Amino acid sequence: MADRKNFDELALQHLDTVYRVAMSLCRNPATADDLTQTTFLKAWRSFESYRPGTNMKAWLLRILRNRWIDVLRHRKVVGPTAPVEDHYVADRPHPEDVAWSNAEDLLQNFGDEQIIDALAELPEEQRLTLFLLDVEGLSQEEVAEITEVAVGTVKSRSSRARHTLKERLAAHARDLGFIEREL
Amino acid sequence: MKTLSDIEIEDILAGHMPMPEDIDEASRRRMEHARSLQARLHDAGQAIIAPPALAGSIRAALDEAPDEAPSHSLHMPAVLRRFAPALAAAAMVTLAIGLWFIVGGTSQAYAQPELAAIHETNVAHGNDFVPCLDGTKIARRMQKQTGRDIHMPTLPASCRFAGSTLARFRDTTVASAVLETETGPVSIITIRDPAESLGFTHTRPMGARTFYTCHHDNCRMAAVNIDGLTFIATGEADHERLIHLLQTFAKAQSPQE
């Protein structure tokens, strides 16, 4: 049972992280509970393959992402489609910047839940990428490893995610009267 | 005064690049917005914590999980023991067939997101993007990577070459030509795997060639086998337009067509 003790010490300290990322993927507390639990069970069964000294958090999050892909396959659910404006043109103009003349003040008008709800509207890969970078503070390289894409893809996804999130928040701010409607 | 690109902003946020001093006002403002959003997102996200009971239920589930695969002693009836070698061989064959399907299926399932990601990154000028309006130079770079003669076609009037990229696909490096079209950028990705291995959902026989199409999220794809390489057109354009582009590439490789 020495391994089990070792596993508890190394892995369970990342419970909040795994749960948060699970929530960002499935957006449902009950599913996030299940996903978190199956992630730790799968991690325990694969613990022999974990190399001591390597990044346990990234290892767990990669298992979590694979579990989520399994869930989607099982449900035969197609992921959320990106909105039309999500299509990317590098360095396109940023009209929403006008509305964001004082970004910090504007953002303070939103509650945590509203910020997370706006994030939840993003396409899944963008949402996960931005969540791992900004909320969990992982490096682009770690996110690339977890999401199994090139670092360049992580950068383009996070950039698009930021633009889309800003646009969504600016739209919500206009609806809520935080900023001028004509903007 | 320097204007920061989107990718440079990401690099500065990640700490991979220092903030340049001589940036223009718009870039400075975009950088501030990105930092504010990053900080606010961090605070909002960190407020999510696992329910207190979850740790307990995970520990309980782990307690119930077996430490190791249970060992089974072999009490085989004599008749089965007699046929054991044949049964074992049959099991191996079944396992191999199963694995072939599983590995093939998984690989196909991942092909489309991988191709879509290559296109997305191409469009964001990642994947070692080299801007170039000259099809001949693009062909030369792609040729160097694939080891095959690749000829660039004369594009329709509404399209032009924008550059080329190198990306990873199924653990190999693949070259793409990036085109600008009236319906947005299109990547022409060349790979060695046959189009049939990509798991595309529809086939369209046209003349001597079969075109394969599918879409992944908002990204449409069309593929065709041309002389030992597969050309995949990926972008927002409709399948007809992508197939039309691939036909011009097919014609450039085999002018007799």
XYZ file of all heavy atoms in Angstrom, chain A residues 1 4 7 12 15-16 19-20 33 37 40-41 44 69 73 80 82-83 87-88 90-91 94 97 100 103 107-108 110-112 115-116 130 134-135 140-141 152-153 155-156 158-160 162-163 166 169, chain B residues 4-7 10-11 13-14 16 29-30 33-34 36-38 40-51 54-55 57-59 61-63 65-67 106 109-110 117 120-121 123-124 217-218 236:
800
model
N 0.812 -1.215 0.000
C 0.000 0.000 0.000
C 0.843 1.262 0.000
O 0.342 2.364 0.043
C -0.952 0.022 1.211
C -2.046 -1.022 1.147
S -3.119 -0.838 -0.307
C -4.217 0.456 0.279
N 0.022 3.431 -2.829
C -1.260 4.125 -2.665
C -1.060 5.401 -1.854
O -1.612 6.457 -2.176
C -2.259 3.171 -2.016
C -3.547 3.782 -1.584
C -4.338 4.395 -2.755
N -5.271 5.370 -2.233
C -6.400 5.046 -1.629
N -6.753 3.787 -1.519
N -7.194 5.993 -1.150
N 0.589 7.809 -4.031
C -0.373 8.339 -5.002
C -1.236 9.416 -4.352
O -1.446 10.498 -4.926
C -1.250 7.203 -5.538
C -2.313 7.666 -6.491
C -2.012 7.908 -7.828
C -3.624 7.875 -6.072
C -2.982 8.354 -8.721
C -4.602 8.311 -6.947
C -4.283 8.550 -8.273
N -3.672 13.627 -5.102
C -4.884 14.250 -4.556
C -4.712 15.724 -4.207
O -5.686 16.445 -4.054
C -5.394 13.449 -3.357
C -6.089 12.136 -3.744
C -6.511 11.347 -2.510
C -7.294 12.376 -4.641
N -6.625 17.904 -6.590
C -8.058 17.653 -6.729
C -8.814 18.892 -7.224
O -9.628 18.815 -8.149
C -8.634 17.176 -5.392
C -10.162 17.005 -5.336
C -10.629 15.960 -6.338
C -10.612 16.620 -3.935
N -8.558 20.045 -6.600
C -9.282 21.260 -7.009
C -9.007 21.601 -8.466
O -9.915 21.977 -9.209
C -8.896 22.450 -6.117
C -9.652 22.423 -4.792
O -10.725 21.776 -4.739
O -9.178 23.032 -3.817
N -10.852 19.183 -10.709
C -12.295 19.469 -10.676
C -12.620 20.738 -11.467
O -13.582 20.781 -12.236
C -12.757 19.617 -9.221
C -14.231 19.956 -9.116
C -15.207 18.972 -9.274
C -14.653 21.271 -8.897
C -16.557 19.282 -9.208
C -15.994 21.595 -8.831
C -16.937 20.597 -8.984
O -18.278 20.907 -8.934
N -11.805 21.780 -11.274
C -12.036 23.046 -11.993
C -11.987 22.831 -13.500
O -12.833 23.309 -14.237
C -10.934 24.061 -11.635
C -11.276 24.988 -10.513
C -10.333 26.163 -10.457
N -8.954 25.804 -10.240
C -8.393 25.656 -9.049
N -9.113 25.838 -7.962
N -7.138 25.329 -8.938
N -18.052 15.996 -11.126
C -17.745 15.059 -10.026
C -17.327 13.703 -10.600
O -16.301 13.134 -10.211
C -18.994 14.842 -9.151
C -19.165 15.935 -8.115
O -18.477 16.971 -8.240
O -19.993 15.760 -7.202
N -13.666 11.928 -10.502
C -13.470 10.632 -9.833
C -12.868 9.599 -10.792
O -11.911 8.906 -10.437
C -14.821 10.136 -9.297
C -14.684 8.853 -8.505
C -15.819 8.682 -7.502
O -16.235 9.645 -6.861
N -16.314 7.471 -7.375
N -9.140 10.201 -11.377
C -8.232 9.708 -10.328
C -8.156 8.178 -10.319
O -7.096 7.613 -10.068
C -8.651 10.262 -8.958
C -8.176 11.678 -8.750
C -9.016 12.749 -8.901
C -6.840 11.941 -8.436
C -8.574 14.057 -8.741
C -6.376 13.242 -8.274
C -7.244 14.304 -8.430
N -9.292 7.540 -10.609
C -9.250 6.069 -10.667
C -8.359 5.594 -11.817
O -7.555 4.673 -11.650
C -10.668 5.504 -10.851
C -11.498 5.431 -9.571
C -12.940 5.054 -9.890
C -10.906 4.415 -8.595
N -4.783 6.176 -10.918
C -4.291 5.155 -9.968
C -3.950 3.861 -10.701
O -2.916 3.252 -10.481
C -5.346 4.935 -8.881
C -5.137 3.736 -8.005
C -6.015 2.734 -7.773
C -3.968 3.419 -7.230
N -5.491 1.814 -6.917
C -4.232 2.205 -6.567
C -2.739 4.032 -7.041
C -3.306 1.589 -5.727
C -1.806 3.415 -6.205
C -2.096 2.218 -5.558
N -12.879 12.978 -23.668
C -13.057 12.549 -25.067
C -13.827 11.218 -25.098
O -14.716 11.023 -25.911
C -11.689 12.430 -25.777
C -11.101 13.829 -25.988
C -11.818 11.708 -27.120
C -9.668 13.833 -26.478
N -17.347 10.549 -26.900
C -17.500 9.479 -27.886
C -18.666 8.574 -27.497
O -19.460 8.168 -28.324
C -16.230 8.633 -27.931
C -15.238 9.177 -28.891
C -14.213 8.100 -29.192
N -13.028 8.756 -29.674
C -11.815 8.557 -29.206
N -11.600 7.709 -28.237
N -10.801 9.202 -29.699
N -19.318 21.690 -29.267
C -19.996 22.921 -29.668
C -19.315 23.543 -30.887
O -18.099 23.522 -30.987
C -19.844 23.823 -28.442
C -18.706 23.248 -27.680
C -18.666 21.796 -27.985
N -18.052 26.475 -33.326
C -17.559 27.827 -33.099
C -18.499 28.820 -33.765
O -19.037 28.550 -34.823
C -16.167 27.952 -33.690
N -18.718 29.942 -33.146
C -19.548 30.948 -33.787
C -18.847 31.500 -35.022
O -17.634 31.375 -35.150
C -19.686 32.030 -32.714
C -18.514 31.838 -31.827
C -18.194 30.385 -31.865
N -13.921 32.519 -36.601
C -12.921 32.279 -37.636
C -11.876 33.364 -37.575
O -12.184 34.540 -37.485
C -13.572 32.236 -39.006
C -14.403 31.022 -39.145
N -13.881 29.775 -39.013
C -15.720 30.876 -39.339
C -14.845 28.896 -39.165
N -15.959 29.539 -39.350
N -10.669 32.901 -37.682
C -9.577 33.771 -37.306
C -8.879 34.413 -38.487
O -8.605 33.786 -39.481
C -8.554 32.921 -36.545
C -7.452 33.707 -35.950
C -7.670 34.445 -34.810
C -6.211 33.723 -36.553
C -6.656 35.167 -34.262
C -5.191 34.455 -35.991
C -5.421 35.164 -34.850
O -4.425 35.887 -34.306
N -5.466 36.596 -38.713
C -4.406 37.105 -37.843
C -4.391 38.624 -37.834
O -4.527 39.266 -38.868
C -3.065 36.582 -38.331
N -4.262 39.158 -36.651
C -4.125 40.596 -36.480
C -5.246 41.398 -37.137
O -5.024 42.407 -37.767
C -2.773 41.074 -37.020
C -1.654 40.493 -36.191
O -1.865 40.318 -34.975
O -0.620 40.179 -36.747
N -9.490 45.367 -34.030
C -10.125 45.035 -32.749
C -11.094 46.143 -32.347
O -10.776 46.969 -31.500
C -9.071 44.843 -31.666
C -8.055 43.816 -32.045
N -8.346 42.478 -32.097
C -6.784 43.940 -32.456
C -7.275 41.813 -32.485
N -6.325 42.685 -32.722
N -11.981 47.117 -28.738
C -11.048 47.837 -27.883
C -11.616 49.179 -27.436
O -11.332 49.653 -26.355
C -9.721 48.081 -28.611
C -8.920 46.797 -28.710
O -9.333 45.819 -28.060
O -7.926 46.792 -29.432
N -13.528 48.870 -24.493
C -12.726 48.437 -23.354
C -11.753 49.522 -22.919
O -10.631 49.234 -22.551
C -11.940 47.192 -23.746
C -12.762 45.953 -23.676
C -13.854 45.666 -24.405
C -12.540 44.838 -22.814
N -14.338 44.437 -24.077
C -13.545 43.896 -23.098
C -11.595 44.530 -21.834
C -13.636 42.689 -22.426
C -11.690 43.318 -21.184
C -12.698 42.423 -21.472
N -10.397 48.639 -19.124
C -10.693 47.210 -19.034
C -10.838 46.743 -17.587
O -11.751 45.986 -17.254
C -9.585 46.433 -19.724
N -14.161 45.030 -16.100
C -14.172 43.631 -15.663
C -14.636 43.489 -14.220
O -15.233 42.475 -13.855
C -12.775 43.021 -15.833
C -12.395 42.715 -17.282
C -10.905 42.424 -17.396
C -13.196 41.531 -17.797
N -14.369 44.506 -13.414
C -14.798 44.427 -12.015
C -16.307 44.485 -11.879
O -16.863 44.138 -10.844
C -14.128 45.530 -11.172
C -12.612 45.375 -11.023
C -12.182 43.963 -10.624
O -12.826 43.293 -9.827
N -11.088 43.490 -11.233
N -18.299 42.678 -13.497
C -18.821 41.316 -13.657
C -18.503 40.466 -12.434
O -17.402 40.551 -11.881
C -18.182 40.639 -14.876
C -18.615 41.210 -16.193
C -17.771 42.013 -16.916
C -19.878 40.937 -16.697
C -18.160 42.538 -18.141
C -20.277 41.458 -17.920
C -19.416 42.265 -18.638
N -19.479 39.631 -12.050
C -19.214 38.668 -10.982
C -18.415 37.497 -11.539
O -18.344 37.316 -12.760
N -17.847 36.702 -10.633
C -17.072 35.535 -11.071
C -17.902 34.630 -11.975
O -17.423 34.125 -12.990
C -16.611 34.717 -9.848
C -15.526 35.454 -9.062
O -14.989 36.461 -9.590
O -15.228 35.030 -7.935
N -18.227 35.882 -15.484
C -16.980 35.692 -16.245
C -16.888 34.234 -16.714
O -16.582 33.949 -17.871
C -15.741 36.030 -15.377
C -15.771 37.494 -14.924
C -14.443 35.659 -16.078
C -15.228 38.493 -15.921
N -17.174 33.313 -15.794
C -17.081 31.884 -16.135
C -18.154 31.508 -17.156
O -17.904 30.711 -18.069
C -17.206 31.009 -14.856
C -16.017 31.281 -13.924
C -17.288 29.525 -15.182
C -14.646 30.966 -14.509
N -7.534 28.393 -22.756
C -7.471 29.632 -21.970
C -7.567 29.334 -20.470
O -6.887 29.954 -19.652
C -8.604 30.574 -22.399
C -8.440 32.031 -21.998
C -7.157 32.605 -22.562
C -9.622 32.863 -22.458
N -4.657 30.645 -18.145
C -4.928 31.806 -17.291
C -5.396 31.437 -15.885
O -5.036 32.095 -14.919
C -5.966 32.719 -17.953
C -5.368 33.486 -19.123
O -4.179 33.259 -19.427
O -6.074 34.301 -19.732
N -6.209 30.412 -15.788
C -6.715 30.046 -14.453
C -5.710 29.150 -13.733
O -5.380 29.386 -12.571
C -8.091 29.346 -14.553
C -8.566 28.920 -13.171
C -9.108 30.257 -15.209
N 2.605 27.407 -21.882
C 2.106 27.026 -23.217
C 2.567 25.613 -23.568
O 1.823 24.852 -24.196
C 2.642 28.017 -24.264
C 2.048 29.407 -24.123
C 2.780 30.439 -24.966
O 3.927 30.223 -25.366
N 2.135 31.558 -25.220
N 3.770 25.266 -23.148
C 4.308 23.935 -23.458
C 3.502 22.857 -22.729
O 3.209 21.798 -23.289
C 5.790 23.835 -23.063
C 6.729 24.660 -23.933
C 6.671 26.169 -23.669
O 6.102 26.580 -22.622
O 7.158 26.949 -24.492
N 2.380 26.322 -31.165
C 1.802 27.363 -32.029
C 0.279 27.324 -32.008
O -0.380 28.361 -32.031
N -0.268 26.119 -31.947
C -1.731 25.982 -31.892
C -2.263 26.513 -30.567
O -3.318 27.146 -30.520
C -2.128 24.494 -32.074
O -1.526 24.025 -33.268
C -3.623 24.321 -32.139
N -0.979 28.922 -28.861
C -0.952 30.388 -28.936
C -2.126 30.919 -29.760
O -2.777 31.886 -29.375
C 0.367 30.860 -29.568
C 1.583 30.622 -28.714
C 2.814 31.149 -29.432
C 4.079 30.598 -28.804
N 5.284 31.093 -29.475
N -2.364 30.281 -30.899
C -3.457 30.795 -31.733
C -4.805 30.563 -31.056
O -5.685 31.411 -31.106
C -3.427 30.183 -33.133
O -3.575 28.800 -33.068
N -5.373 30.428 -27.775
C -5.561 31.338 -26.640
C -5.821 32.756 -27.138
O -6.633 33.487 -26.568
C -4.356 31.303 -25.689
O -3.171 31.627 -26.370
N -5.168 33.130 -28.234
C -5.387 34.466 -28.772
C -6.830 34.623 -29.246
O -7.500 35.605 -28.933
C -4.401 34.706 -29.918
O -4.629 35.963 -30.473
N -7.305 33.614 -29.982
C -8.690 33.683 -30.452
C -9.658 33.668 -29.279
O -10.665 34.365 -29.276
C -9.000 32.508 -31.374
C -8.638 32.823 -32.809
C -8.946 31.659 -33.680
N -8.211 30.500 -33.205
C -8.578 29.259 -33.398
N -9.684 28.983 -34.023
N -7.840 28.268 -32.952
N -9.180 34.795 -26.289
C -9.195 36.116 -25.631
C -10.048 37.110 -26.407
O -10.829 37.865 -25.827
C -7.768 36.658 -25.542
C -7.101 36.370 -24.247
C -5.715 36.990 -24.202
N -4.721 35.959 -24.028
C -4.556 35.277 -22.898
N -5.299 35.538 -21.852
N -3.642 34.330 -22.810
N -9.880 37.106 -27.731
C -10.666 38.047 -28.550
C -12.154 37.757 -28.411
O -12.955 38.660 -28.225
C -10.267 37.937 -30.025
C -8.920 38.516 -30.313
N -8.552 39.766 -29.887
C -7.859 38.023 -30.979
C -7.314 40.006 -30.284
N -6.872 38.955 -30.927
N -13.459 38.686 -24.991
C -13.595 40.149 -24.877
C -14.854 40.632 -25.587
O -15.599 41.462 -25.061
C -12.375 40.837 -25.507
C -11.195 40.964 -24.567
C -10.012 41.575 -25.265
C -10.206 43.050 -25.547
N -9.008 43.654 -26.177
N -17.877 39.633 -23.510
C -18.014 40.448 -22.303
C -18.424 41.879 -22.658
O -19.229 42.491 -21.946
C -16.698 40.442 -21.504
C -16.395 39.120 -20.787
C -14.980 39.127 -20.209
C -17.410 38.859 -19.667
N 2.287 45.197 -31.993
C 2.398 43.801 -31.539
C 1.415 42.907 -32.280
O 0.255 43.273 -32.456
C 2.102 43.714 -30.035
C 3.107 44.352 -29.080
C 2.587 44.258 -27.643
C 4.461 43.653 -29.178
N 1.872 41.750 -32.701
C 0.953 40.772 -33.297
C 0.239 40.031 -32.169
O 0.660 40.076 -31.007
C 1.724 39.781 -34.164
O 2.485 38.924 -33.336
N -0.817 39.328 -32.518
C -1.553 38.548 -31.508
C -0.646 37.516 -30.850
O -0.723 37.275 -29.643
C -2.745 37.836 -32.164
C -3.822 38.823 -32.596
O -3.852 39.929 -32.049
O -4.615 38.468 -33.481
N 0.198 36.884 -31.665
C 1.072 35.839 -31.128
C 2.114 36.462 -30.196
O 2.459 35.884 -29.161
C 1.744 35.060 -32.287
C 0.681 34.355 -33.136
C 2.775 34.048 -31.769
C -0.192 33.356 -32.421
N 0.567 36.950 -26.891
C 0.527 35.685 -26.145
C 1.898 35.369 -25.551
O 2.000 34.895 -24.417
C 0.079 34.542 -27.057
C -1.370 34.614 -27.495
C -2.336 34.697 -26.325
O -2.226 33.886 -25.396
O -3.189 35.613 -26.339
N 2.952 35.632 -26.318
C 4.312 35.349 -25.828
C 4.683 36.251 -24.651
O 5.353 35.823 -23.715
C 5.328 35.509 -26.968
C 5.349 34.289 -27.880
O 4.947 33.205 -27.412
O 5.748 34.425 -29.045
N 2.488 37.611 -22.539
C 1.679 37.150 -21.396
C 2.294 35.894 -20.773
O 2.255 35.712 -19.559
C 0.249 36.826 -21.851
C -0.655 38.009 -22.178
C -1.964 37.517 -22.772
C -0.935 38.856 -20.943
N 2.863 35.045 -21.628
C 3.448 33.784 -21.136
C 4.843 33.999 -20.550
O 5.435 33.058 -20.020
C 3.511 32.773 -22.271
N 7.449 34.648 -22.315
C 8.469 34.191 -23.262
C 9.167 35.353 -23.958
O 10.156 35.157 -24.645
C 7.843 33.300 -24.336
C 7.434 31.952 -23.826
N 8.129 31.298 -22.845
C 6.403 31.142 -24.152
C 7.546 30.140 -22.594
N 6.482 30.026 -23.361
N -2.560 49.325 -25.438
C -3.904 49.160 -24.889
C -4.336 47.685 -24.964
O -4.907 47.151 -24.017
C -4.874 50.040 -25.684
C -6.104 50.428 -24.890
C -6.903 51.520 -25.537
N -7.190 51.228 -26.924
C -6.899 52.035 -27.942
N -6.290 53.171 -27.719
N -7.194 51.699 -29.183
N -4.032 47.043 -26.082
C -4.400 45.622 -26.222
C -3.682 44.769 -25.175
O -4.241 43.822 -24.626
C -4.052 45.121 -27.626
C -5.049 45.596 -28.667
C -4.565 45.313 -30.071
N -4.343 43.903 -30.312
C -3.463 43.421 -31.174
N -2.691 44.234 -31.873
N -3.323 42.129 -31.338
N -5.418 45.286 -21.849
C -6.687 44.547 -21.804
C -6.440 43.063 -21.574
O -7.130 42.419 -20.787
C -7.444 44.718 -23.128
C -7.895 46.119 -23.375
N -8.456 46.514 -24.555
C -7.860 47.225 -22.595
C -8.749 47.797 -24.490
N -8.396 48.246 -23.307
N -5.441 42.532 -22.296
C -5.143 41.096 -22.170
C -4.719 40.774 -20.744
O -5.131 39.754 -20.181
C -4.057 40.704 -23.162
N -5.503 42.475 -17.989
C -6.661 42.607 -17.085
C -7.552 41.382 -17.189
O -8.014 40.846 -16.175
C -7.493 43.842 -17.454
O -6.719 44.990 -17.357
N -7.782 40.943 -18.425
C -8.655 39.783 -18.631
C -8.029 38.533 -18.014
O -8.705 37.736 -17.363
C -8.879 39.582 -20.134
C -9.911 38.538 -20.530
C -11.276 38.865 -19.952
C -10.019 38.432 -22.052
N -6.726 38.409 -18.196
C -6.018 37.241 -17.643
C -6.172 37.209 -16.115
O -6.488 36.171 -15.532
C -4.539 37.335 -18.027
C -3.710 36.143 -17.624
C -2.231 36.334 -17.956
O -1.678 37.422 -17.758
N -1.599 35.305 -18.484
N -8.465 38.717 -14.251
C -9.861 38.544 -13.819
C -10.305 37.087 -13.988
O -11.014 36.529 -13.153
C -10.746 39.484 -14.657
C -12.177 39.563 -14.206
C -12.300 40.259 -12.848
N -13.638 40.111 -12.293
C -14.029 39.088 -11.563
N -13.174 38.112 -11.276
N -15.256 39.017 -11.084
N -9.866 36.506 -15.097
C -10.193 35.102 -15.371
C -9.565 34.195 -14.315
O -10.192 33.238 -13.840
C -9.642 34.749 -16.763
C -10.259 33.600 -17.520
C -11.770 33.724 -17.594
C -9.683 33.553 -18.934
N -8.353 34.513 -13.955
C -7.658 33.722 -12.936
C -8.448 33.751 -11.628
O -8.717 32.713 -11.029
C -6.243 34.259 -12.727
C -5.487 33.511 -11.676
N -5.430 33.938 -10.364
C -4.799 32.340 -11.722
C -4.724 33.068 -9.661
N -4.326 32.095 -10.458
N -8.846 34.965 -11.213
C -9.580 35.094 -9.948
C -10.915 34.351 -10.012
O -11.287 33.644 -9.069
C -9.837 36.572 -9.636
C -8.548 37.292 -9.305
O -7.524 36.605 -9.080
O -8.542 38.538 -9.284
N -11.638 34.547 -11.124
C -12.964 33.914 -11.245
C -12.836 32.392 -11.275
O -13.606 31.678 -10.624
C -13.664 34.412 -12.505
N -11.860 31.895 -11.997
C -11.681 30.443 -12.123
C -11.244 29.815 -10.817
O -11.717 28.742 -10.435
N -10.338 30.497 -10.112
C -9.821 29.934 -8.861
C -10.898 29.864 -7.777
O -10.731 29.173 -6.778
C -8.621 30.757 -8.369
C -7.354 30.554 -9.194
C -6.694 29.205 -8.933
O -6.742 28.685 -7.838
N -6.087 28.626 -9.965
N -11.992 30.608 -7.998
C -13.081 30.558 -7.013
C -13.826 29.218 -7.071
O -14.575 28.872 -6.154
C -14.053 31.713 -7.269
N -13.618 28.476 -8.154
C -14.257 27.143 -8.261
C -13.413 26.150 -7.466
O -12.215 26.007 -7.724
C -14.317 26.670 -9.728
C -15.079 27.668 -10.591
C -14.935 25.277 -9.827
C -14.980 27.377 -12.092
N -14.026 25.501 -6.508
C -13.292 24.467 -5.768
C -14.129 23.185 -5.717
O -15.348 23.234 -5.851
C -12.920 24.912 -4.327
C -14.161 25.416 -3.595
C -11.818 25.951 -4.330
C -13.939 25.540 -2.100
N -13.447 22.090 -5.556
C -14.146 20.797 -5.525
C -15.054 20.727 -4.303
O -14.697 21.238 -3.234
C -13.119 19.671 -5.488
N -16.232 20.110 -4.442
C -17.110 19.938 -3.272
C -16.363 19.164 -2.179
O -15.606 18.237 -2.499
C -18.284 19.125 -3.801
C -18.180 19.173 -5.277
C -16.764 19.476 -5.637
N -16.129 15.351 -2.237
C -15.556 14.652 -3.393
C -14.260 13.911 -3.041
O -14.046 12.780 -3.484
C -15.313 15.648 -4.545
C -14.875 15.045 -5.875
C -15.872 14.004 -6.389
C -14.696 16.141 -6.935
N -13.424 14.563 -2.225
C -12.152 13.915 -1.853
C -12.422 12.586 -1.165
O -11.769 11.572 -1.451
C -11.338 14.831 -0.951
N -15.116 10.655 -1.424
C -15.660 9.618 -2.314
C -14.578 9.089 -3.258
O -14.598 7.910 -3.615
C -16.888 10.115 -3.076
O -16.557 11.233 -3.835
N -13.624 9.943 -3.613
C -12.524 9.442 -4.461
C -11.652 8.471 -3.658
O -11.284 7.401 -4.149
C -11.686 10.621 -5.014
C -12.492 11.371 -6.077
C -10.358 10.137 -5.605
C -11.876 12.652 -6.568
N -11.369 8.831 -2.410
C -10.542 7.926 -1.575
C -11.244 6.580 -1.404
O -10.616 5.526 -1.480
C -10.275 8.566 -0.209
C -9.204 9.629 -0.277
C -8.567 9.892 1.090
N -7.428 10.784 0.934
C -7.500 12.110 0.954
N -8.670 12.712 1.120
N -6.413 12.840 0.800
N -13.419 5.236 -3.444
C -13.371 4.507 -4.724
C -11.981 3.911 -4.946
O -11.856 2.793 -5.447
C -13.729 5.452 -5.865
N -10.961 4.651 -4.544
C -9.592 4.134 -4.687
C -9.367 2.938 -3.766
O -8.690 1.975 -4.144
C -8.571 5.232 -4.362
C -8.424 6.351 -5.394
C -7.561 7.490 -4.841
C -7.819 5.836 -6.688
N -9.969 3.007 -2.565
C -9.836 1.879 -1.628
C -10.423 0.608 -2.225
O -9.933 -0.488 -2.004
C -10.547 2.193 -0.305
C -9.771 3.227 0.497
O -8.576 3.433 0.184
O -10.366 3.850 1.401
N -10.733 0.017 -5.425
C -10.072 -0.385 -6.680
C -8.983 -1.396 -6.359
O -8.261 -1.242 -5.378
C -9.469 0.838 -7.360
N -8.853 -2.443 -7.175
C -7.814 -3.439 -6.907
C -6.430 -2.829 -7.073
O -6.215 -1.987 -7.936
C -8.056 -4.513 -7.970
C -8.880 -3.854 -9.035
C -9.622 -2.738 -8.379
N -5.493 -3.242 -6.182
C -4.121 -2.749 -6.251
C -3.419 -3.236 -7.502
O -2.563 -2.603 -8.056
C -3.321 -3.224 -5.032
C -3.657 -2.368 -3.832
O -4.235 -1.289 -4.029
O -3.335 -2.796 -2.715
N -9.142 4.993 -33.882
C -8.699 6.135 -33.078
C -7.904 7.096 -33.939
O -8.092 8.298 -33.902
C -7.826 5.631 -31.917
O -8.555 4.660 -31.233
C -7.465 6.755 -30.979
N -10.168 9.024 -36.008
C -10.922 10.016 -35.234
C -10.081 11.243 -34.959
O -10.591 12.358 -34.894
C -11.404 9.393 -33.923
N -8.763 11.034 -34.785
C -7.905 12.167 -34.450
C -7.416 12.920 -35.676
O -6.916 14.029 -35.560
C -6.703 11.701 -33.621
C -7.050 11.544 -32.169
C -7.071 10.303 -31.562
C -7.391 12.656 -31.409
C -7.424 10.160 -30.240
C -7.743 12.529 -30.081
C -7.750 11.271 -29.496
O -8.104 11.151 -28.180
N -6.524 21.665 -36.697
C -5.584 22.439 -35.864
C -4.421 22.959 -36.710
O -3.951 24.088 -36.500
C -5.069 21.572 -34.721
N -5.797 25.942 -38.536
C -5.964 27.082 -37.616
C -4.620 27.740 -37.332
O -4.501 28.959 -37.297
C -6.572 26.612 -36.286
C -8.039 26.270 -36.367
C -8.551 25.733 -35.033
O -7.796 25.763 -34.047
O -9.697 25.294 -34.995
N -3.624 26.904 -37.086
C -2.305 27.448 -36.763
C -1.674 28.104 -37.989
O -1.018 29.145 -37.876
C -1.395 26.342 -36.198
O -2.120 25.665 -35.181
C -0.123 26.912 -35.609
N -3.269 29.638 -40.283
C -3.954 30.915 -40.455
C -3.424 31.956 -39.462
O -3.356 33.143 -39.757
C -5.483 30.705 -40.290
C -6.211 32.026 -40.226
C -6.009 29.867 -41.436
N -3.030 31.478 -38.296
C -2.472 32.389 -37.275
C -0.978 32.617 -37.502
O -0.295 33.174 -36.652
C -2.705 31.808 -35.886
N -15.902 20.852 -36.656
C -16.361 22.160 -36.199
C -16.679 23.016 -37.426
O -17.415 22.582 -38.279
C -15.323 22.824 -35.277
C -15.284 22.123 -33.908
O -16.229 21.373 -33.611
O -14.330 22.329 -33.162
N -16.081 24.181 -37.539
C -16.399 25.028 -38.692
C -15.447 24.826 -39.860
O -15.496 25.570 -40.824
C -16.351 26.505 -38.282
C -17.572 26.890 -37.487
O -18.453 26.075 -37.254
N -17.635 28.126 -37.068
N -12.754 27.455 -44.583
C -14.174 27.729 -44.377
C -14.974 27.600 -45.665
O -16.195 27.585 -45.632
C -14.349 29.160 -43.862
C -13.739 29.395 -42.510
C -13.717 30.874 -42.192
O -14.612 31.597 -42.674
O -12.812 31.313 -41.480
